[in-house]
Amino acid sequence: MMNCCGLLNPEKQPVPLKSIEVQLEVKDHVATVVSTLIYENKEDKPIEAVFVFPLPGDAAVCHFSAKIGQTEIVAQVKEKQEAREEYDDALSSGQQAFLLEESEQSPDIFSLKVGSLPPGESASIRLEYVIELAVEADDGLRFCLPAVLNPRYQPQGSEGASVQVTSVPASQVPYTLSFSARVSSPRPISKVESSCSLDPLQYLNTEQTQATVKLAAGHKFDRDVELLIYYKDAHQPTAVVEAGQASAKPGTLMGDPVVMLSLYPEFPQAVMSSLASCGEFVFLLDRSGSMDCPTDNSEQQETRIGSARDTLLLLLKSLPMGCYFNIYSFGSTYKHIFPKSVEYSEKTMEEALKKVGEMTADLGGTEILQPLKHIYSQPCIPNQPRQLFVFTDGEVWNTKEITSLVKNNSAFHRCFSFGIGEGASSALINGLAKEGGGHAQFITGTERMQPKVMQSLRFALQPAVQDISVTWDLPKGVSVTVLSPPISAIFQGQRSLVYAQLTGQSSEAAEGCVTVKYNLAGHPSQNQLTFNLKPAEDTGLTVHRLGGRSLIRCLEMEEKEDGGKPDEGVKKRVVELSVQSGVSSAYTAFIAVNKDNSEPIQGPLMRRNVPTPMFYSMMQCAMPMAGPGLPGMAMACAMPGPQMRLKSCAMPSPLMLNLCSAVTTADAIMSCDMSCDEPAEFGKFLEKVEDPDLTMPKQPRRDPLLELVSLQKASGCWLLDPALAAVLGKKSKKVEKAKPSAVNQEVWATILALMWLHGFKVDAKEEWELLAMKAVSWLRAQKAPCVTECIEAGNTLLGCKVQKDALGL
């Protein structure tokens, strides 16, 4: 047996990556991230280390360097094939070389190669990127450091060779992560929260506009590192003008000032008070095997598919009467509940809910492209704007193909996307919403999916903003070149970012003005922002790089020639911009070669794959066993590929066959990681399997809120029956006896349900607010007598103090 020392990967080979240190600097709503990766070769031969890892899909990678001993080599951005050839030439001549490149299929996957690291040598790799921070439903700014890269599904026969990912369960990652953040803003910092354990927030000044925070020691790589940063008065429009690079030629992107506008359009209250009562709502649900995993690694955590089912219940109950809807689900194939979208009624709602309740994560892989094509092939319903809701854990390779399809159909619908669980592709989730004129949400850790989805439904019910235009009023001699794609969607209170290059000269006191005009529910509206053209102090080139990244992404999304090959003119322009701005793209790579190394490195070069943390560890993707079995028996998902494969199982084959016959694929990526080498241990295992007294644990009682929601009718009312009484915690006879005599049963039941929501579930109001509005509309239509008497009787029955005004009656 080979005697290995140091860190080992899944193939029992040494792992040269020792640690990752991440420093985050947040200025207002833009972040700069510096990652330092420490490599060490403890073997007796030179090695090449290959590390495939995730980054945020909209990050602008702007610096890559390597330090060997006292020698620092700063990488250059070059056309990708040229960079690859230079890297190969360097290795073949015995030189040290470093290559960083973005995946051509998905912009949130990067590959880092550390070549010709001699025995006993160490290398420090510095990687820097800048990124905009997304605004969450509760006004928090979200930063996510992707730590988890699950194997991504690639459809059979799809074009482009995907990068092979070496993954291990999060608990087995052989390197450490340290993370610290510094936050500064013109406005006070209210708080910083995280899905991971943090050390206490430390304020650096009395105004509380600067603070630092660190990740607590012992991060297990079992989740992405997510920060939520809260400022006071976060919804203020802002403008940052950044000076150009002194060494760059005026008239170029890097030589001119660039402005970043952060706009928060405000809609008239009269429009916001009347949400749409029409639309075609199409829900597309991921049923691939990985949806059977929990969103978090805590015990008894609800699975992704279970949370999605509960969310669909809320959505269906909250839809307005008179709209149309359909539900699709997908894995390796796709299904739909109705052949085409149907009108929303009690009958169609109940039929859909029955089928939703039967949905499991049993459809194999993650083929999202085909169901999208089918949805787009269906003719739109006149006067029913199409709203598409996509729920997925986002583990696919063909991201650009999918987002390109959404963009090509953006004139006919709005797309709202939801990334579920650790490792969801930010490039896919953000790309779907951005190209579809909708809104993206991420559900990680112990977060509930329902509040975020209901916020998106409220956005979908807002009137579609049409005829959006951005006009500039600048001093004479100053012209503007917009770097961002045209604004395609505006939602109340949500941020729109615009980047623009400013060419020409003006006096220091000069001001510019930008006006966003649009048509809202038939009424012309506009919002203005006036800003100073004098560049801000000490901003570096962050805004330039984000603006360059925005323009590069726009060009990459342009139409491609027949056959799927990129347009050569567009590709040339992207390469020019990428090289000029020093920002990564699909067609370029960072290359660094240590030419100071006078002595060629001798000996055969050994390749070492650095494993990436994977969320699907043992006992997380719980699969039900046939027969009595072991409760919560699971198989670890560790092998990429389109087919299910089983690996390295030491059990006798008959038992293995019985166990594996019960296992469904997780995105068609499975391996059995159970090692029962010791006879005694295997005997104990058999005893457990054959123990007739071993039964599955009882299912926890369903959330009373969801129970109440499930009882609501499509019209908005509730029936007075034992099921409703049980949710209210009362006996049926007592509920019926408390009813005022002049009121019918449905009115009484509906008022009680509303009072229970307001009295006992006010903390979850964002989840039930829309269906409560529907109930109130139904009550008003009944013109029911004695509403005040009903509320008094209801307060006595339920033991609460709900006021009539609170119900909206």
Side-chain angles (χ1 to χ4, degrees):
M1 178 180 283
M2 182 177 75
N3 184 21
C4 292
C5 61
L7 304 169
L8 301 180
N9 71 2
E11 286 73 39
K12 306 304 179 187
Q13 295 171 333
V15 176
L17 178 60
K18 293 190 68 178
S19 66
I20 302 175
E21 178 187 346
V22 178
Q23 294 177 310
L24 168 71
E25 183 169 3
V26 177
K27 290 185 177 179
D28 210 3
H29 53 256
V30 170
T32 301
V33 186
V34 178
S35 298
T36 305
L37 296 85
I38 305 297
Y39 286 82
E40 184 177 354
N41 181 9
K42 290 190 174 182
E43 301 184 61
D44 57 5
K45 294 182 176 68
I47 63 169
E48 178 191 32
V50 180
F51 187 27
V52 179
F53 59 95
L55 285 181
D58 46 359
V61 178
C62 54
H63 177 88
F64 175 59
S65 61
K67 190 172 183 180
I68 305 101
Q70 299 302 311
T71 304
E72 183 176 16
I73 318 151
V74 178
Q76 294 178 295
V77 179
K78 295 187 177 182
E79 191 276 327
K80 186 173 282 187
Q81 190 56 38
E82 180 187 346
R84 288 173 175 173
E85 290 173 1
E86 185 175 339
Y87 176 80
D88 291 340
D89 289 345
L91 295 197
S92 62
S93 63
Q95 290 180 305
Q96 292 174 321
F98 307 86
L99 183 71
L100 177 72
E101 58 180 288
E102 175 186 314
S103 164
E104 293 179 10
Q105 288 86 18
S106 186
D108 60 346
I109 303 295
F110 279 75
S111 173
L112 169 61
K113 293 183 179 180
V114 176
S116 289
L117 194 60
E121 187 76 86
S122 296
S124 174
I125 310 297
R126 180 184 169 97
L127 172 68
E128 183 176 331
Y129 65 86
V130 291
I131 189 170
E132 307 155 356
L133 301 185
V135 183
E136 292 288 282
D138 60 358
D139 297 342
L141 293 176
R142 179 181 186 267
F143 167 78
C144 181
L145 176 72
V148 175
L149 177 56
N150 294 321
R152 297 205 173 178
Y153 184 83
Q154 182 172 2
Q156 284 183 311
S158 61
E159 294 185 7
S162 62
V163 181
Q164 291 299 308
V165 181
T166 301
S167 299
V168 295
S171 60
Q172 298 176 20
V173 174
Y175 43 89
T176 60
L177 171 69
S178 61
F179 175 88
S180 61
R182 181 187 176 103
V183 183
S184 59
S185 170
R187 297 175 293 279
I189 302 159
S190 302
K191 59 181 176 178
V192 176
E193 296 178 345
S194 177
S195 58
C196 305
S197 297
L198 297 176
D199 288 342
L201 184 69
Q202 301 288 329
Y203 287 107
L204 302 179
N205 58 5
T206 55
E207 296 82 10
Q208 297 190 345
T209 58
Q210 296 182 24
T212 59
V213 69
K214 290 183 179 180
L215 190 66
H219 179 70
K220 300 298 184 185
F221 271 108
D222 57 352
R223 69 194 69 187
D224 298 337
V225 179
E226 183 183 62
L227 285 189
L228 290 171
I229 302 164
Y230 296 86
Y231 300 136
K232 294 179 181 176
D233 303 320
H235 280 222
Q236 295 298 314
T238 58
V240 176
V241 179
E242 184 177 81
Q245 199 170 16
S247 59
K249 184 180 177 181
T252 63
L253 171 62
M254 301 306 287
D256 285 342
V258 171
V259 60
M260 177 177 67
L261 302 174
S262 181
L263 307 172
Y264 292 89
E266 292 292 329
F267 293 172
Q269 185 58 40
V271 175
M272 290 306 299
S273 62
S274 57
L275 293 175
S277 59
C278 62
E280 179 196 8
F281 296 88
V282 181
F283 305 109
L284 179 58
L285 175 64
D286 191 341
R287 286 174 59 188
S288 60
S290 56
M291 288 289 286
D292 213 23
C293 293
T295 57
D296 184 41
N297 69 336
S298 59
E299 294 182 11
Q300 304 298 324
Q301 176 70 19
E302 186 179 22
T303 61
R304 301 173 185 179
I305 190 70
S307 182
R309 283 194 301 263
D310 290 343
T311 301
L312 281 174
L313 166 67
L314 266 177
L315 282 168
L316 287 174
K317 295 291 185 176
S318 301
L319 292 180
M321 293 294 286
C323 74
Y324 287 72
F325 79 103
N326 202 355
I327 300 174
Y328 286 72
S329 57
F330 69 92
S332 299
T333 59
Y334 67 90
K335 300 180 179 181
H336 42 71
I337 290 182
F338 305 107
K340 61 180 182 179
S341 293
V342 297
E343 187 171 357
Y344 180 74
S345 66
E346 184 65 32
K347 180 182 177 182
T348 56
M349 183 192 74
E350 289 297 336
E351 183 178 349
L353 283 173
K354 181 181 178 183
K355 293 185 178 179
V356 166
E358 297 167 353
M359 287 182 176
T360 56
D362 59 354
L363 294 185
T366 312
E367 299 261 13
I368 192 171
L369 196 63
Q370 295 309 314
L372 279 175
K373 286 181 177 178
H374 185 270
I375 290 168
Y376 293 142
S377 72
Q378 302 294 304
C380 292
I381 301 170
N383 302 316
Q384 301 284 349
R386 179 174 288 171
Q387 317 281 356
L388 174 63
F389 285 64
V390 181
F391 301 86
T392 178
D393 54 15
E395 292 150 16
V396 296
W397 277 109
N398 56 339
T399 299
K400 290 186 179 178
E401 193 177 2
I402 293 167
T403 53
S404 180
L405 176 67
V406 173
K407 179 182 179 181
N408 293 339
N409 290 274
S410 59
F412 311 107
H413 79 306
R414 290 192 288 191
C415 182
F416 299 86
S417 54
F418 307 90
I420 307 170
E422 305 299 333
S425 166
S426 62
L428 177 67
I429 304 306
N430 287 327
L432 286 170
K434 185 174 182 179
E435 302 302 337
H439 187 66
Q441 304 266 24
F442 290 86
I443 300 97
T444 59
T446 57
E447 288 181 311
R448 285 173 59 82
M449 188 186 303
Q450 291 84 347
K452 294 192 172 188
V453 175
M454 297 311 292
Q455 185 209 28
S456 290
L457 179 58
R458 281 190 284 273
F459 285 160
L461 290 170
Q462 288 181 18
V465 174
Q466 298 174 322
D467 305 324
I468 304 171
S469 67
V470 179
T471 57
W472 298 77
D473 183 10
L474 300 171
K476 187 176 180 180
V478 180
S479 61
V480 63
T481 303
V482 178
L483 306 174
S484 308
I487 298 175
S488 59
I490 295 177
F491 298 107
Q492 165 71 16
Q494 284 298 297
R495 184 184 65 192
S496 296
L497 280 174
V498 178
Y499 296 95
Q501 177 182 341
L502 302 174
T503 304
Q505 297 293 325
S506 65
S507 65
E508 287 190 358
E511 288 188 335
C513 178
V514 64
T515 304
V516 182
K517 297 180 180 179
Y518 48 91
N519 195 304
L520 181 65
H523 302 288
S525 300
Q526 68 176 43
N527 294 103
Q528 275 189 342
L529 174 62
T530 300
F531 59 96
N532 194 317
L533 289 175
K534 183 183 178 182
E537 298 293 331
D538 190 30
T539 57
L541 292 170
T542 302
V543 174
H544 280 74
R545 286 164 175 160
L546 287 171
R549 181 63 160 168
S550 180
L551 183 54
I552 286 170
R553 283 285 177 254
C554 290
L555 291 168
E556 287 177 347
M557 288 300 296
E558 284 193 2
E559 292 292 329
K560 295 184 178 181
E561 296 175 339
D562 293 338
K565 295 181 180 179
D567 181 288
E568 287 303 317
V570 172
K571 181 178 178 181
K572 183 179 179 182
R573 174 71 173 132
V574 168
V575 171
E576 287 175 353
L577 275 169
S578 181
V579 171
Q580 181 192 144
S581 62
V583 169
S584 60
S585 76
Y587 305 130
T588 54
F590 284 89
I591 174 71
V593 177
N594 185 7
K595 296 180 180 177
D596 294 337
N597 193 16
S598 56
E599 291 291 326
I601 297 167
Q602 303 295 326
L605 196 62
M606 307 298 292
R607 177 168 172 145
R608 296 292 179 251
N609 292 325
V610 177
T612 306
M614 178 181 59
F615 183 65
Y616 311 143
S617 59
M618 196 67 173
M619 305 305 287
Q620 285 180 331
C621 301
M623 306 292 180
M625 299 296 296
L630 275 173
M633 191 63 188
M635 300 297 175
C637 314
M639 294 184 66
Q643 304 295 328
M644 171 177 165
R645 299 197 292 273
L646 298 172
K647 181 180 90 172
S648 66
C649 185
M651 293 185 198
S653 56
L655 176 62
M656 189 63 243
L657 289 174
N658 289 336
L659 289 174
C660 294
S661 66
V663 180
T664 56
T665 61
D667 287 21
I669 300 164
M670 297 293 293
S671 73
C672 177
D673 195 24
M674 306 174 65
S675 56
C676 303
D677 295 319
E678 298 295 328
E681 292 301 314
F682 181 64
K684 293 177 184 177
F685 175 79
L686 276 179
E687 289 174 10
K688 289 181 180 178
V689 171
E690 295 168 355
D691 186 353
D693 296 327
L694 247 170
T695 57
M696 296 295 286
K698 292 182 180 180
Q699 292 296 316
R701 183 172 176 265
R702 194 178 189 186
D703 182 351
L705 172 60
L706 292 176
E707 286 284 2
L708 184 75
V709 170
S710 69
L711 298 174
Q712 189 185 31
K713 298 299 179 183
S715 63
C717 73
W718 275 266
L719 301 181
L720 191 63
D721 58 19
L724 175 64
V727 174
L728 300 177
K730 305 295 178 185
K731 293 183 178 180
S732 293
K733 289 183 178 179
K734 190 171 183 179
V735 173
E736 291 175 14
K737 186 177 180 181
K739 179 182 76 69
S741 57
V743 178
N744 71 40
Q745 291 190 341
E746 289 182 4
V747 170
W748 172 236
T750 303
I751 289 176
L752 284 178
L754 284 173
M755 292 183 67
W756 186 86
L757 290 172
H758 282 274
F760 302 103
K761 290 293 178 180
V762 71
D763 57 333
K765 187 175 181 180
E766 65 270 29
E767 298 183 35
W768 52 260
E769 190 173 26
L770 289 176
L771 60 89
M773 288 170 60
K774 192 159 67 165
V776 169
S777 296
W778 180 86
L779 283 170
R780 285 175 178 159
Q782 308 309 304
K783 297 181 180 177
C786 310
V787 171
T788 302
E789 187 181 349
C790 284
I791 292 172
E792 290 174 356
N795 278 323
T796 302
L797 175 68
L798 300 176
C800 53
K801 297 179 180 180
V802 177
Q803 300 297 315
K804 182 178 178 180
D805 290 346
L807 299 181
L809 295 172

